[in-house]
Each structure stands twice: as structure tokens, then as C-alpha cells.
Amino acid sequence: TVTVLDAVGYVFAVADEAGLPAVVNISAGQGFGPHDGSTLLDLALEDLIGPGRIVVISAGNEGDIEMHLSREFAAADTVRTVVYFEAPSVTGSPPGTPAGGLDLWGVPGASFSVRLTLNKAYRPRADLDTLRLWSSPWVPTDSDAAVPFAALSGPDTLLAGSMVAEAAAHNGQPHLFIELTKGNRNGYVQLEVAAAHTTVHAWNVGQGANGAPFANCQALGEALIPRTVRGDTRVTIAEGGGACRETITVGAHWARTGLRTAFGDTLYDT
């Protein structure tokens, strides 16, 4: 954040000395954050932007990825979703490699709690309660706690990481971040969010398959897991300035996957 702000401020300062307007393009971003323009970077960019000072941000590459999940809790309730994670042997990364995380944000003055659960089977089953292999403790956002966890099966580490709860100082929103570390096998982990009379948003950054980071397993070609929901694509714009109210955020839509010349050559093919 500091490096980006220093760079933008430097460009604007040089332009001011030359008496010229300036446009700064930032083709970078990530999925962590509340996506509402309230991060420190968003607020600092607002202070730098003005007449003759424009910042353009890339929207990201996740427009069609179901990495967002939200729920309005009218009363006490629990929402459940499924996250698929891959072993290092599949991704080619060494054991213990950080695998991204789950970033959850709530409404100031309210709280919510989160729990992770692994089941005994690596394929979905209807009765999750009887197949429960391991569950983390419930971690409430008002606990200001950092809770490490590790799910083991004999010598295998299936999933490990930490859950960090806090009230974010810059916007007062209850916040819980789950860092995931890959284990030795592929698997499904169930994310449970419990709350009452509030709204919770979650983003899955770095996990998932087939474009469905938050799934009910039908999205992964598996049997439906009852009482679980899949994510959506409503709030997938990249953080890192993309949600700032004063920046120009630019995205594109691919209308075709390839372009062929008159000679039959493919110039670009995804």
C-alpha cells in the first residue's frame, strides 16, 4: 500500500512541477478486502485524486468466478458453503505452501462467527453431521483472537492454517481472515458462518476449482450437499484501489476465444 501511494504521489508531483495533468494506470490488485472503498489504500487514493490527477485501476480477472458469498441474516441462522482445495501434488507447489484464504467482512457494531469442518469422506455425502471428521472451534469476530488449526488423519495433514478475528481499525467492520495451507490430499472443507440481524460478505481468494470457489458441489460436478449454497459473481472486482470511489476502474469482456487470419492461422486462442 505504501509503495503504491508513494509511486502515485511521485507521478503527480512531477506532473505538477511541469504544469501538466497526469494519469496513473495501476494494473494490479487482489481479492482481499471489504470491496466497499473503505480500505486505507482507497481512502488515500481519494486524497491524491483531483483535477488533472486521474488514477485508472484494472478490474481484475475474476468477473466470471463465483468467489463472493453474502447473506443477510434476518434472525439467528447459519449459512454453509463448500470450498474445494487441492494437494501440492496437483498444483506442483511444495507442502506447506500458503493456499490463499477466505476473507469475511460484516457490518460495524455487529458480530458473526465462523467454523471450518472436514468430513470423513473426500466425496460429498448427504449426512454431514455423521461424517464429520474434524471441526475447528467457532471463532467470533468480537473475540480479537488468532486461532491456529490443523486437521490430521494419521501422518497426513489434510488442512492447516489460522483464523484471525478483529474489528478493522480503519472502518470498524468486523473482520475474519482464514489463511489456508495445503495438506497432502485433495478435499472439501465446509465453511459455516453464524450470525443474527446483520449482513456478512465473504471472498475466496486462491482456492476452488472449475470457477466455483464457493460451491454446493454441484458446481464441481459432484452430488449436491444439502443445506449448502454456492457463491456468486456480484462483487468480484479487484481490491487494491479498484473499489475506490474516485478511481476509474476498467474491465473488458471477451466476445471470442480466438482470432484466425485469412490464412487460417490462430493469432490468439485461450
Side-chain angles (χ1 to χ4, degrees):
T1 297
V2 174
T3 302
V4 171
L5 292 174
D6 285 346
V8 174
Y10 174 78
V11 172
F12 286 158
V14 172
D16 286 346
E17 290 183 5
L20 297 171
V23 178
V24 178
N25 177 71
I26 304 176
S27 295
Q30 38 76 33
F32 302 115
H35 294 74
D36 60 2
S38 67
T39 68
L40 294 177
L41 178 59
D42 292 331
L43 298 176
L45 285 174
E46 284 189 17
D47 289 339
L48 289 173
I49 295 170
R53 294 181 166 196
I54 296 173
V55 175
V56 180
I57 306 284
S58 58
N61 301 314
E62 292 78 32
D64 60 345
I65 304 298
E66 296 175 349
M67 62 178 291
H68 172 255
L69 181 71
S70 66
R71 173 62 62 93
E72 295 183 7
F73 294 87
D77 196 6
T78 300
V79 62
R80 298 174 177 86
T81 188
V82 176
V83 176
Y84 176 75
F85 58 93
E86 295 178 319
S89 60
V90 175
T91 61
S93 55
T97 300
L102 309 176
D103 204 30
L104 296 93
W105 294 81
V107 176
S111 179
F112 61 90
S113 298
V114 172
R115 179 174 74 169
L116 296 176
T117 294
L118 282 175
N119 301 311
K120 295 177 184 177
Y122 286 99
R123 288 287 182 260
R125 296 293 187 270
D127 192 351
L128 295 178
D129 294 331
T130 60
L131 288 173
R132 181 168 290 139
L133 172 67
W134 166 88
S135 288
S136 72
W138 283 100
V139 179
T141 53
D142 55 8
S143 65
D144 289 327
V147 181
F149 61 85
L152 308 176
S153 177
D156 290 335
T157 300
L158 305 182
L159 186 70
S162 62
M163 305 170 73
V164 180
E166 64 173 355
H170 62 281
N171 60 17
Q173 296 180 16
H175 175 223
L176 195 143
F177 176 69
I178 305 174
E179 182 184 57
L180 299 174
T181 301
K182 296 174 181 176
N184 300 5
R185 306 179 186 177
N186 296 347
Y188 298 87
V189 62
Q190 183 177 256
L191 171 69
E192 299 174 271
V193 182
H197 310 294
T198 189
T199 299
V200 177
H201 292 268
W203 285 269
N204 182 345
V205 184
Q207 286 291 345
N210 299 334
F214 287 124
N216 55 15
C217 281
Q218 278 188 327
L220 300 172
E222 304 288 351
L224 172 68
I225 294 184
R227 310 189 307 277
T228 61
V229 298
R230 62 189 293 176
D232 60 64
T233 60
R234 292 193 297 111
V235 189
T236 61
I237 193 170
E239 273 282 16
C244 176
R245 295 175 177 85
E246 298 297 328
T247 59
I248 298 174
T249 304
V250 178
H253 172 72
W254 289 97
R256 59 171 58 185
T257 59
L259 180 64
R260 291 187 176 274
T261 69
F263 303 101
D265 300 322
T266 300
L267 295 182
Y268 189 84
D269 192 355
T270 58

